[in-house]
Amino acid sequence: MIDKTAHSLEEVLAQISDGARIMIGGFGTAGQPAGLIDGLIERGVKDLVIINNNAGNGDHGLAKLLKTGAVRKIICSFPRQSDSWVFDELYRAGKIELELVPQGNLACRIQAAGMGLGAVFTPTGFGTLLAEGKETRNIDGKDYVLEYPIKADFALIKAHKGDRWGNLVYRKAARNFGPIMATAADITIAEVSEVVELGGLDPENIITPGIFVQHVVQIKEEGRA
């Protein structure tokens, strides 16, 4: 019987070790798997490479992980906003490495990994510092930059509901990067607000099929999921 529901948060995160390359879903705090991040902090792993759209907000979630010094490098598209003081301090002190990727390219490169593509040509970044040292090509009169897929050992994502097969549905804008990250990692761990019985999810509304998910962890939280 297929049952991907985790018995404990500690057990499912035990497979993550030092030096892991981890995708973390979320657009700012929307769809950020805060429960999984807190569990990762408890693990005490270090030298991590994190792939996320942002670089943390305030002092919680991803920012809280950065504050522990566990992250060696972050790959993201939007590292600075009004409440990104944790990342800002670390970066200015030379304590974290940043790979800046335009948001569309970030999504495209993650999708390329999930689709098994070798690389993609994109016009974004051509003629800028972001294209330095990269292969370029003119295709049908337009200039492009060659970008390679972004893969990860683990994807930590948040969904609204899931079943024991790993099928997931999301809540509104909290969907964001979760579905594509689930396809681009060796192991996907999904934090959900509720695990429902098989058949409890309308097949027409399932966004991430269970084939892309290895573990489902139910984490209750106050307020909306």
Side-chain angles (χ1 to χ4, degrees):
M1 181 181 71
I2 298 175
D3 188 354
K4 298 180 180 180
T5 53
H7 297 295
S8 72
L9 182 60
E10 295 76 14
E11 179 183 346
V12 77
L13 293 177
Q15 59 196 306
I16 302 179
S17 56
D18 293 351
R21 187 176 171 94
I22 306 172
M23 291 181 176
I24 296 180
F27 193 102
T29 57
Q32 186 177 109
L36 292 180
I37 294 173
D38 285 344
L40 188 61
I41 293 171
E42 289 295 319
R43 278 278 295 146
V45 290
K46 57 184 183 297
D47 198 34
L48 303 175
V49 175
I50 298 297
I51 298 135
N52 184 261
N53 184 58
N54 302 80
N57 302 82
D59 295 292
H60 56 274
L62 179 56
K64 184 178 177 181
L65 176 64
L66 297 181
K67 197 170 186 177
T68 67
V71 180
R72 172 178 63 82
K73 176 181 179 179
I74 187 163
I75 301 171
C76 69
S77 72
F78 195 67
R80 299 193 64 204
Q81 54 269 348
S82 61
D83 59 351
S84 62
W85 51 76
V86 173
F87 167 79
D88 201 57
E89 290 175 4
L90 290 171
Y91 185 72
R92 290 178 184 276
K95 295 181 178 179
I96 191 170
E97 180 183 349
L98 169 66
E99 181 179 336
L100 187 64
V101 181
Q103 190 172 91
N105 283 4
L106 181 68
C108 183
R109 292 172 65 187
I110 292 171
Q111 287 174 316
M115 295 175 185
L117 301 180
V120 292
F121 277 104
T122 170
T124 304
F126 182 86
T128 73
L129 291 174
L130 295 176
E132 283 191 358
K134 298 178 180 178
E135 180 182 341
T136 60
R137 186 174 299 184
N138 185 283
I139 303 174
D140 290 333
K142 190 169 185 177
D143 294 315
Y144 294 85
V145 182
L146 184 68
E147 297 284 0
Y148 290 91
I150 295 177
K151 306 175 183 178
D153 303 311
F154 298 91
L156 306 184
I157 64 173
K158 180 180 179 181
H160 181 41
K161 295 180 181 181
D163 61 26
R164 65 175 174 84
W165 282 358
N167 297 309
L168 304 175
V169 296
Y170 301 82
R171 187 179 188 281
K172 300 181 178 179
R175 179 191 305 187
N176 53 73
F177 282 85
I180 61 173
M181 286 183 170
T183 70
D186 293 335
I187 296 174
T188 295
I189 303 171
E191 170 184 328
V192 300
S193 299
E194 182 182 359
V195 176
V196 302
E197 295 295 327
L198 290 180
L201 301 177
D202 182 347
E204 295 295 330
N205 293 330
I206 291 172
I207 303 300
T208 298
I211 192 172
F212 296 116
V213 178
Q214 283 67 49
H215 304 282
V216 177
V217 185
Q218 180 171 306
I219 299 178
K220 293 289 187 180
E221 60 177 297
E222 295 182 2
R224 295 187 298 185

